[in-house]
Amino acid sequence: MHLGFDRRRPVGFTFAQAFWTVALVSLATAWPTLAHDTWVITHDQEAIAHAKPLPEIFTTLGFANVAISLIALLGVVGWVGIGRTDIPDRVADHFKLPKVNAERLEPWVPVALRLGLAAMFVTAAFGLHPRLGYEIGESPVLFASDLEFRHVSGDWTWVIWTQIALAAAFLLGVWTRVASALLVALVLLGFWIFDVDMLAYAGVLIATAYYLFVKGGGHFELLKDPDALVRLVASVPPGRAQAVLRIGTGLSFLYLGIFYKLLHPTYLLAGVEIYSLPLFGFPAEVFVFIVATVEVVVGILITVGVMVRPLSFVLVFAFAFFSISMNEGVLGHSFLYGIVFALFASGAGRWSPRETL
């Protein structure tokens, strides 16, 4: 089964394809579309925001939300339509634009994912990227800033040390497949500790673990996996790991866009007020509705796997803007940088045994 719409043409990414990303990049760079809103408000502010009623634009059909939704729908249809044609290649040929052979970077994807996971675990274990209201090092977390051990009962110190051990394993490339299996176990433990809050991260983390379990650690492994594990995944089609990674990432963004922005827009509204974000002339509630719509659109396009390489640039711009505009810091999306590199280097992947595009 082919889970992407990539057609059988060269995998090189043309700069002409960037032409088709202009509108989406503009939106993504103007608004923090891929932010997890509870990172940048305090725990008390989150509780206050959660208790506030939803703005009317999120509960009642009107001109603004219908118009924004229709524009988003046209954008998705247009992106998918263009992605299933050779228009980007013809534009590149017409203007004689150079190509970037992204496929050459694919062997480095496991390394990028390992480094991203290592940075995430170090940041989480030592509280180096605290949510608003805490000092650096004050509040260790599981995976991300809003999964705080201090707000759950029990002594979870051993989980903090487990994260440090996994950081070392992924950084050095020590039994990467074993470490990936332990990552999945840690995600499942996260559901036990934090319940539904773990859903914001489970999809992309499990998909990354699957990728590394299938592909191994790549270059610069200090200790390779046991031969039995290598043989276990030898029959997996070469493009399937990337397809799983792409789908898990897209579904995670979809979940964040729907659950945290469409269903709980008061979180981002609180962030807008705290950080005095530029609204570009829109009322705050309309601004947040646009943000939610853009994040859902990006999640859909990544999930279906259409022109994934151009979308990777959208993610980079979005992360950069969010880090700057909300004082989020460079460590907040450290894990996702590896995901972005994988999307650029390997594209959509392919579920079937045929050659990956």
Side-chain angles (χ1 to χ4, degrees):
M1 180 173 61
H2 181 194
L3 296 183
F5 290 113
D6 299 54
R7 302 175 72 86
R8 299 192 68 80
R9 56 178 185 260
V11 297
F13 171 72
T14 68
F15 286 110
Q17 286 180 301
F19 172 80
W20 306 110
T21 71
V22 170
L24 196 54
V25 168
S26 298
L27 287 172
T29 55
W31 301 304
T33 58
L34 301 170
H36 195 348
D37 313 312
T38 53
W39 287 4
V40 292
I41 57 178
T42 67
H43 194 267
D44 291 340
Q45 288 167 339
E46 178 185 349
I48 294 172
H50 184 77
K52 289 183 177 180
L54 300 183
E56 185 177 356
I57 192 173
F58 289 90
T59 60
T60 306
L61 288 179
F63 174 78
N65 52 19
V66 170
I68 294 167
S69 299
L70 287 175
I71 292 171
L73 178 61
L74 289 174
V76 170
V77 172
W79 187 276
V80 172
I82 291 171
R84 301 188 70 176
T85 70
D86 62 350
I87 290 177
D89 293 322
R90 288 195 282 116
V91 171
D93 293 339
H94 178 76
F95 290 101
K96 295 181 173 57
L97 296 178
K99 291 187 178 182
V100 176
N101 187 7
E103 189 180 37
R104 293 186 303 173
L105 301 173
E106 191 165 0
W108 294 95
V109 170
V111 179
L113 294 177
R114 281 171 37 210
L115 293 178
L117 286 171
M120 177 193 70
F121 280 126
V122 169
T123 300
F126 292 103
L128 301 182
H129 178 250
R131 69 182 295 173
L132 187 65
Y134 298 118
E135 298 295 328
I136 292 177
E138 181 181 355
S139 181
V141 298
L142 177 65
F143 300 125
S145 301
D146 57 328
L147 301 179
E148 303 165 276
F149 290 114
R150 67 191 305 154
H151 294 297
V152 294
S153 59
D155 182 5
W156 299 103
T157 305
W158 68 272
V159 179
I160 297 173
W161 284 105
T162 300
Q163 290 189 105
I164 294 173
L166 284 174
F170 284 119
L171 176 64
L172 300 174
V174 175
W175 282 13
T176 301
R177 290 181 171 90
V178 175
S180 299
L182 293 176
L183 169 57
V184 174
L186 201 58
V187 170
L188 297 178
L189 178 65
F191 280 108
W192 177 267
I193 302 174
F194 296 102
D195 199 38
V196 71
D197 290 342
M198 192 64 225
L199 281 173
Y201 310 100
V204 67
L205 287 171
I206 291 175
T208 303
Y210 177 82
Y211 185 101
L212 290 174
F213 190 84
V214 171
K215 296 290 188 178
H219 298 301
F220 305 122
E221 282 188 295
L222 183 62
L223 183 60
K224 294 186 180 298
D225 291 288
D227 291 339
L229 288 180
V230 177
R231 291 193 298 269
L232 181 65
V233 297
S235 63
V236 177
R240 183 171 297 177
Q242 178 65 18
V244 170
L245 180 63
R246 181 252 306 166
I247 293 169
T249 301
L251 291 177
S252 293
F253 288 146
L254 263 176
Y255 176 80
L256 289 174
I258 293 172
F259 186 83
Y260 280 93
K261 291 186 174 68
L262 286 177
L263 297 184
H264 295 93
T266 50
Y267 295 154
L268 185 54
L269 282 169
V272 167
E273 181 179 352
I274 292 170
Y275 295 95
S276 301
L277 292 183
L279 302 180
F280 306 98
F282 293 106
E285 61 274 12
V286 175
F287 170 88
V288 172
F289 189 85
I290 295 173
V291 168
T293 303
V294 172
E295 183 159 3
V296 169
V297 166
V298 172
I300 290 172
L301 294 178
I302 293 175
T303 302
V304 299
V306 181
M307 292 200 292
V308 171
R309 289 186 173 94
L311 282 172
S312 67
F313 289 101
V314 175
L315 302 183
V316 169
F317 281 113
F319 296 155
F321 178 81
F322 182 62
S323 297
I324 295 171
S325 64
M326 285 188 166
N327 298 321
E328 190 262 3
V330 297
L331 296 176
H333 293 109
S334 56
F335 161 58
L336 292 176
Y337 296 144
I339 301 289
V340 171
F341 180 81
L343 294 176
F344 176 74
S346 302
R350 189 185 292 277
W351 192 268
S352 70
R354 292 180 294 171
E355 181 183 358
T356 304
L357 296 181

